[in-house]
Amino acid sequence: MKKFTIKDIAKIAGVHPSTVSRSLNNNPVIPEKTRKKIQDIAKKLNFEFNSSARNLSLNKTDNIGLIISNGFDNDSTMPFVNIILEKTRKILSKNSLDTIVEFSKNIYTNESNIQKMVASKKVDGFLILDSNFSKKEFNLLKKNKIPFEIMHFKPNFEDSENYGYTATDHFEGGLMATNFLIENGFTNIFTITAIQNDTSFNEFTLRTAGYRYALSKNQIEINENNILYSNISYEDTYKIIKNNIHIFKKGDAIFAQTDIIAFAVINAFRNHNIDVPNDISVVGYDDIDMARYFYPALTTIMQPLDELIEKSCYNLVKKIKNVTFKDNYKILIKPKLIIRDSVLIKH
């Protein structure tokens, strides 16, 4: 009796062998009607499906590498990273894909973990959450025809404008936060952002640009002393407020460019008997879970992470299925203003 193969089933069904293997694996990426048709053919042929053999023959691992910027390796950014990890794993699991998480660089040798994973053939593709993703790594993935999706960050390397990514519109987020404060009558608005030479977090440059544009558009003079730079940790921000309390007393509002920064600002003010929002108003950025439970509940800019992650994962899955993308596509997702109690509404 002839022993049938995945290629035989693919020929009978008129589909690619990868569609057969995914159908036999009940992968929801394949439409149910197609899956059932292929499974019925396999059953009639008494085909025994071996997923390990399938992966070897198709050079597939069913693993996705999630590459996280080393800049996220601190307590202040972990709430944000944990949300990314949880949501990414759920979406990829629905597509029968597992997630291998690595920082972009080995913390001891500084070697690229992307290069390491490519060399060891551990993954079928990459989700890259790192603005320092290099041209060298980009070319390596292109050369080896490994699908990848750049998410959350706009890449930093030279001529990166010619390459695609999926991200929140951080300029719009900074503009939205500052406009909301201006609309409520605030004019002496501070912002706390990331240290300028830290290219790990280029979304802060965009948020600050949005802040500047809102002031300029409303004919409010931009005071460079109102832009303060932190390593975006709670501790550093608290120290900045404490050491400059006399300066902040002259302001009427603060755009804190993460929720963690906003929590540090509010607590530092509280310890100096400055009331939020009655004495000074505060807007955060991210809308992490704690924002709604903090006192006062934080007005903030919500990053639409569900949409961001869904689109990034969906794009990567399509690329793995050999769907062609233009190199220079850009998907910018608009953030949303969440109004709570940390801003004094004046009208």
Side-chain angles (χ1 to χ4, degrees):
M1 183 182 289
K2 178 181 176 180
K3 190 172 182 180
F4 291 95
T5 68
I6 282 177
K7 287 183 178 179
D8 293 324
I9 297 172
K11 190 174 181 180
I12 293 168
V15 298
H16 192 274
S18 64
T19 303
V20 174
S21 61
R22 287 191 173 97
S23 296
L24 297 178
N25 234 356
N26 277 316
N27 191 319
V29 168
I30 308 300
E32 185 178 353
K33 185 178 177 181
T34 305
R35 272 185 282 156
K36 188 175 186 310
K37 175 185 173 182
I38 289 169
Q39 288 167 1
D40 287 345
I41 293 170
K43 190 174 180 181
K44 286 175 184 176
L45 297 176
N46 293 317
F47 178 79
E48 292 184 10
F49 180 60
N50 184 319
S51 61
S52 296
R54 179 279 315 260
N55 284 342
L56 285 172
S57 66
L58 295 176
N59 293 318
K60 295 292 184 183
T61 66
D62 288 335
N63 294 326
I64 297 299
L66 176 57
I67 302 297
I68 305 288
S69 168
N70 286 69
F72 282 122
D73 189 17
N74 64 73
D75 292 340
S76 294
T77 55
M78 283 316 295
F80 175 76
V81 172
N82 286 336
I83 293 170
I84 296 278
L85 295 182
E86 179 188 356
K87 293 181 185 297
T88 299
R89 281 180 169 140
K90 280 183 180 177
I91 293 170
L92 291 178
S93 292
K94 283 182 183 177
N95 291 280
S96 300
L97 295 167
D98 295 320
T99 311
I100 299 175
V101 183
E102 292 281 5
F103 283 115
S104 54
K105 305 291 182 188
N106 182 298
I107 59 172
Y108 300 106
T109 65
N110 204 39
E111 292 176 334
S112 167
N113 278 322
I114 290 177
Q115 287 181 274
K116 178 184 173 184
M117 293 169 82
V118 169
S120 61
K121 298 182 179 178
K122 278 187 175 182
V123 298
D124 298 334
F126 288 94
L127 285 168
I128 298 170
L129 186 72
D130 180 22
S131 67
N132 285 330
F133 174 55
S134 70
K135 187 66 179 287
K136 182 179 179 182
E137 291 166 325
F138 177 91
N139 289 335
L140 175 71
L141 296 181
K142 282 286 190 180
K143 180 182 176 183
N144 286 275
K145 298 181 179 178
I146 298 174
F148 63 93
E149 176 75 5
I150 303 171
M151 62 186 289
H152 181 66
F153 289 115
K154 172 185 170 184
N156 257 339
F157 55 78
E158 188 181 350
D159 80 346
S160 61
E161 279 293 336
N162 295 320
Y163 302 103
Y165 58 89
T166 302
T168 301
D169 190 339
H170 297 292
F171 175 87
E172 178 67 24
L175 176 64
M176 197 179 287
T178 313
N179 271 342
F180 178 68
L181 292 170
I182 294 169
E183 286 163 7
N184 279 284
F186 301 103
T187 56
N188 193 9
I189 303 168
F190 286 81
T191 190
I192 302 178
T193 186
I195 296 167
Q196 285 179 304
N197 61 5
D198 189 350
T199 57
S200 299
F201 298 110
N202 63 12
E203 78 261 44
F204 292 97
T205 303
L206 294 168
R207 292 173 198 175
T208 303
Y211 159 86
R212 288 177 178 276
Y213 182 73
L215 294 177
S216 175
K217 189 182 71 170
N218 286 278
Q219 288 82 50
I220 298 173
E221 184 180 352
I222 299 170
N223 183 348
E224 296 299 327
N225 292 327
N226 282 4
I227 304 173
L228 290 98
Y229 299 93
S230 160
N231 66 13
I232 68 169
S233 71
Y234 180 97
E235 293 78 9
D236 191 44
T237 304
Y238 188 96
K239 210 176 288 182
I240 287 170
I241 299 294
K242 181 182 174 183
N243 293 341
N244 296 280
I245 197 69
H246 60 290
I247 296 174
F248 286 106
K249 282 182 177 179
K250 298 173 184 176
D252 51 18
I254 295 182
F255 167 36
Q257 293 188 22
T258 73
D259 288 346
I260 296 294
I261 287 177
F263 299 155
V265 167
I266 293 171
N267 281 337
F269 284 155
R270 185 177 292 129
N271 289 335
H272 285 84
N273 298 314
I274 298 172
D275 182 76
V276 174
N278 292 309
D279 296 326
I280 191 165
S281 289
V282 177
V283 175
Y285 198 108
D286 285 333
D287 194 32
I288 62 175
D289 286 342
M290 184 58 67
R292 72 190 72 179
Y293 304 118
F294 196 78
Y295 181 78
L298 187 64
T299 293
T300 187
I301 300 298
M302 182 194 78
Q303 287 210 61
L305 291 182
D306 284 339
E307 187 179 357
L308 173 72
I309 294 165
E310 281 175 14
K311 285 190 175 180
S312 297
C313 291
Y314 179 62
N315 285 349
L316 181 62
V317 169
K318 287 203 296 185
K319 289 174 184 177
I320 289 171
K321 291 173 67 177
N322 297 316
V323 175
T324 303
F325 278 70
K326 291 181 180 179
D327 276 343
N328 63 346
Y329 73 93
K330 292 171 184 61
I331 300 172
L332 285 178
I333 303 170
K334 188 173 180 177
K336 182 180 178 183
L337 174 68
I338 305 296
I339 300 172
R340 297 195 180 100
D341 303 329
S342 63
V343 173
L344 187 65
I345 306 299
K346 296 185 179 181
H347 57 77

